Amino acid sequence: MRRVLFAAAVALALLALAAPAGAHPLGNFSVNHLTVVRASSDRVDVRYVLDQAEIPTFRERGLPAARVLERKRAEVARGLSVAIGGRPVALTLRPGGRLTFPRGAGGLRTTRIELLLSARVASRGAVVVRDATFAGRVGWRAVLAEPGRGTAVRSDVTSADPTRRLRVYPTALLASPANRTVVHLRVSPGAGTVTAPRGDGGVGTTTSDRGAGDRFGSVFERAAAGQGVLLLLLLAAFGWGAVHALSPGHGKAMVAAYLVGARGTARHAVALGLTVTVTHTIGVFALGAVALALSAYVLPEDLYPWLNLVSGLLVLGVGASVVRARVRRARTPAHHHEHDDGHHEHGHGHGHHEHGHGHDHGHHDHAELRPRALLAMGASAGLIPCPSALVVLLGAVAQHQIGLGMVLIVAFSAGLAATLTGLGLLVVAAGRVSARLSGARTGRVLAVLPALSAVAIVAVGLVLTAQAVPKVL
């Protein structure tokens, strides 16, 4: 017992002291780019900055740095355009470019590129610059204007750059990153000034990871480097999974509402947890297979809206079945219930008394918790893989530590499921205590609660589905 407690204490210390994984603040799928325009009296200069996160960089594994730079230059040459007075102007890429591969999460690298372009032309009147590079990719997209020589410029976008050339990102804007790809300038002779709307001051920037799930990558890095005992690293991965489950979007409310709506037992809560573990693990491996083998045809991030849609439809279907079962039970005469469940009452002198207090509702409602419904609800909670777990899997492939990565992902998934299972067990226990201690008025409220919970499941399913549909169309 002491050894177990010691191991748990060390694991907690690992969680508290683990180094940040360096995960990209805008997500491991993001492709972020910034276009800085400088309109001078005799030319237009453009600086293009690309910050590409771990997973897009991983897709280019094995390519020489020169080839990576060539591909990005070609993308910028196609996607960046300038028009002066409504007429297109040819931008010329200057030779070379600055290419680096900063370290990211899970031992993976990110890609950072800076390119310079210019057009030798008098910039007067209306100047429009468009950045159509990497269209449809998730990330920070911004265009801004800086002072040139011999001009006075009026811009419709800010000249402030809170990201410091995509090196840091405003914490307050991570949930809704910049999405500006066009700048309209009005250029006239002047002393090198830009008049532009006030921009974000950049207060509260971050270069660290975005939460517990992202720090999972640091656990893999320690394990791959041989730092620490494997048992403790597994406990740390389990712990990060458990903490990660507390973040939004992991089915906590759905699981609780489902167990209340269908009057689940501890056995059902554990079954849900096991389903979440298996589903999340399979999802990570499947998405990893897409990233490894099918990335030329399907981008892994493009699958997330479809997974969200499937998850929403599963929740909607389960909620509808629970509502239907509760309506059917409400319409069935009480004596029919007693006849159906008579086998539960035989051999118990006070079986009918328990029924009167609601304790035996489990006899009726447990039949509604069919394996299909349990699997569907557990799958909906674990169907959407954590991007950090995918990063760890890809990092394991890159470092030829596939077995280690798989074991840690299973531990992470088990931790995520443990939180949901614990929540389910608390819901079940609270329901039993309330049923025993409640008075007449509270008992009526408790009798209505399962029906309300069933309706809540349907509502959550409708919201999830409605949110997912526009993203897949």
Side-chain angles (χ1 to χ4, degrees), residues 110-154:
T110 63
T111 302
R112 178 178 175 81
I113 294 177
E114 294 188 38
L115 301 173
L116 297 176
L117 305 92
S118 62
R120 287 194 170 274
V121 61
S123 55
R124 296 285 182 89
V127 177
V128 180
V129 180
R130 299 180 185 276
D131 177 7
T133 60
F134 302 100
R137 302 301 296 269
V138 175
W140 183 282
R141 298 186 292 179
V143 184
L144 57 87
E146 285 188 344
R149 295 188 306 273
T151 56
V153 177
R154 287 188 172 275

Side-chain angles (χ1 to χ4, degrees), residues 8-160:
V10 175
L12 290 174
L14 262 176
L15 291 176
L17 300 175
H24 200 285
L26 282 170
N28 308 118
F29 292 108
S30 61
V31 177
N32 313 280
H33 42 104
L34 168 70
T35 304
V36 182
V37 182
R38 182 176 294 173
S40 299
S41 58
D42 61 344
R43 61 190 297 149
V44 175
D45 293 311
V46 178
R47 178 181 295 273
Y48 183 90
V49 183
L50 174 69
D51 174 27
Q52 185 172 272
E54 293 90 347
I55 292 176
T57 299
F58 179 84
R59 293 180 58 235
E60 298 175 326
R61 67 193 184 283
L63 291 179
R67 175 60 178 152
V68 172
L69 183 58
E70 179 186 342
R71 292 177 60 170
K72 305 309 180 191
R73 286 173 58 86
E75 174 73 19
V76 172
R78 287 192 302 268
L80 212 57
S81 63
V82 175
I84 298 179
R87 300 178 60 183
V89 173
L91 274 173
T92 302
L93 267 166
R94 296 187 188 178
R98 186 181 302 173
L99 170 64
T100 57
F101 297 97
R103 187 177 179 83
L108 297 176
R109 296 287 179 176
T110 63
T111 302
R112 178 178 175 81
I113 294 177
E114 294 188 38
L115 301 173
L116 297 176
L117 305 92
S118 62
R120 287 194 170 274
V121 61
S123 55
R124 296 285 182 89
V127 177
V128 180
V129 180
R130 299 180 185 276
D131 177 7
T133 60
F134 302 100
R137 302 301 296 269
V138 175
W140 183 282
R141 298 186 292 179
V143 184
L144 57 87
E146 285 188 344
R149 295 188 306 273
T151 56
V153 177
R154 287 188 172 275
S155 170
D156 65 345
V157 299
T158 178
S159 60

Side-chain angles (χ1 to χ4, degrees), residues 205-245:
T205 55
T206 179
T207 56
S208 63
D209 56 276
R210 293 191 62 186
D214 293 321
R215 296 191 185 183
F216 176 39
S218 66
V219 177
F220 168 73
E221 291 182 51
R222 288 170 177 264
Q227 300 174 4
V229 180
L230 180 59
L231 173 61
L232 301 183
L233 292 169
L234 288 172
L235 287 173
F238 180 91
W240 282 128
V243 174
H244 181 69

Side-chain angles (χ1 to χ4, degrees), residues 24 53 62 97 125 142 179 225-226 237 244-245 258 272 283 298 311 340 343 399 402 407 437 439 441:
H24 200 285
N179 187 26
H244 181 69
Y258 177 61
L272 278 171
V298 181
S311 177
D340 288 344
H343 63 282
Q399 298 186 40
I402 298 177
V407 169
L437 300 180
R441 180 176 299 177

